[in-house]
Short mmCIF file of all heavy atoms in Angstrom, two decimals:
data_model
loop_
_atom_site.label_atom_id
_atom_site.label_comp_id
_atom_site.label_asym_id
_atom_site.label_seq_id
_atom_site.Cartn_x
_atom_site.Cartn_y
_atom_site.Cartn_z
N GLY T 112 21.35 4.60 -8.28
CA GLY T 112 19.92 4.44 -8.09
C GLY T 112 19.35 3.33 -8.95
O GLY T 112 19.91 2.95 -9.98
N ARG T 113 18.20 2.79 -8.51
CA ARG T 113 17.46 1.78 -9.24
C ARG T 113 16.01 2.24 -9.36
O ARG T 113 15.60 3.18 -8.68
CB ARG T 113 17.56 0.42 -8.54
CG ARG T 113 18.98 -0.09 -8.49
CD ARG T 113 19.19 -1.29 -7.60
NE ARG T 113 20.60 -1.62 -7.56
CZ ARG T 113 21.20 -2.44 -8.41
NH1 ARG T 113 20.49 -3.06 -9.33
NH2 ARG T 113 22.49 -2.67 -8.33
N LYS T 114 15.27 1.53 -10.20
CA LYS T 114 13.90 1.94 -10.48
C LYS T 114 12.93 0.87 -9.99
O LYS T 114 13.27 -0.30 -9.91
CB LYS T 114 13.70 2.16 -11.98
CG LYS T 114 14.50 3.33 -12.54
CD LYS T 114 14.31 3.44 -14.04
CE LYS T 114 14.97 4.70 -14.58
NZ LYS T 114 16.41 4.72 -14.39
N LEU T 115 11.71 1.31 -9.74
CA LEU T 115 10.63 0.39 -9.38
C LEU T 115 10.18 -0.37 -10.65
O LEU T 115 9.97 0.24 -11.70
CB LEU T 115 9.46 1.13 -8.75
CG LEU T 115 9.77 1.72 -7.36
CD1 LEU T 115 8.70 2.72 -6.98
CD2 LEU T 115 9.86 0.62 -6.31
N HIS T 116 10.41 -1.35 -10.76
CA HIS T 116 10.08 -2.20 -12.00
C HIS T 116 8.57 -2.29 -12.07
O HIS T 116 8.00 -2.71 -11.54
CB HIS T 116 10.89 -3.51 -12.03
CG HIS T 116 12.35 -3.44 -12.50
ND1 HIS T 116 13.25 -4.26 -12.27
CD2 HIS T 116 13.06 -2.52 -13.11
CE1 HIS T 116 14.44 -3.96 -12.60
NE2 HIS T 116 14.32 -2.82 -13.12
N VAL T 297 11.31 -8.37 -3.97
CA VAL T 297 12.08 -7.18 -4.36
C VAL T 297 11.68 -6.78 -5.78
O VAL T 297 12.20 -7.31 -6.76
CB VAL T 297 13.59 -7.45 -4.28
CG1 VAL T 297 14.38 -6.18 -4.59
CG2 VAL T 297 13.96 -7.99 -2.90
N SER T 298 10.74 -5.87 -5.88
CA SER T 298 10.23 -5.41 -7.19
C SER T 298 10.93 -4.12 -7.61
O SER T 298 10.30 -3.07 -7.78
CB SER T 298 8.72 -5.22 -7.13
OG SER T 298 8.04 -6.44 -7.01
N LEU T 299 12.23 -4.19 -7.77
CA LEU T 299 13.01 -3.05 -8.23
C LEU T 299 14.25 -3.58 -8.92
O LEU T 299 14.62 -4.74 -8.77
CB LEU T 299 13.37 -2.13 -7.06
CG LEU T 299 14.11 -2.74 -5.86
CD1 LEU T 299 15.62 -2.76 -6.05
CD2 LEU T 299 13.78 -2.01 -4.58
N GLY T 300 14.92 -2.73 -9.66
CA GLY T 300 16.14 -3.17 -10.35
C GLY T 300 16.77 -2.02 -11.12
O GLY T 300 16.19 -0.94 -11.25
N GLY T 301 17.96 -2.28 -11.62
CA GLY T 301 18.68 -1.27 -12.39
C GLY T 301 19.39 -1.93 -13.55
O GLY T 301 19.14 -3.10 -13.89
N SER T 302 20.31 -1.20 -14.14
CA SER T 302 21.08 -1.76 -15.25
C SER T 302 21.92 -2.93 -14.75
O SER T 302 22.43 -2.91 -13.63
CB SER T 302 21.99 -0.68 -15.85
OG SER T 302 21.22 0.40 -16.32
N VAL T 311 21.48 -5.60 -4.91
CA VAL T 311 20.47 -6.66 -4.80
C VAL T 311 21.14 -8.03 -4.81
O VAL T 311 20.77 -8.92 -4.04
CB VAL T 311 19.44 -6.54 -5.94
CG1 VAL T 311 18.45 -7.71 -5.91
CG2 VAL T 311 18.68 -5.22 -5.84
N SER T 328 11.94 -8.89 -9.54
CA SER T 328 11.32 -8.60 -10.83
C SER T 328 12.39 -8.54 -11.92
O SER T 328 13.54 -8.16 -11.67
CB SER T 328 10.56 -7.28 -10.77
OG SER T 328 11.39 -6.25 -10.26
N SER T 340 17.04 -7.54 -15.85
CA SER T 340 17.91 -7.18 -14.72
C SER T 340 17.71 -8.22 -13.63
O SER T 340 16.89 -9.12 -13.75
CB SER T 340 17.59 -5.78 -14.21
OG SER T 340 16.25 -5.70 -13.76
N ASN T 341 18.47 -8.08 -12.54
CA ASN T 341 18.44 -9.05 -11.43
C ASN T 341 18.79 -10.44 -11.95
O ASN T 341 17.94 -11.32 -12.09
CB ASN T 341 17.07 -9.03 -10.74
CG ASN T 341 16.79 -7.71 -10.05
OD1 ASN T 341 17.70 -7.08 -9.50
ND2 ASN T 341 15.55 -7.25 -10.08
#
Side-chain angles (χ1 to χ4, degrees):
R113 297 170 184 270
K114 294 177 173 63
L115 292 166
H116 281 160
V297 184
S298 291
L299 55 87
S302 300
V311 175
S328 52
S340 61
N341 295 324

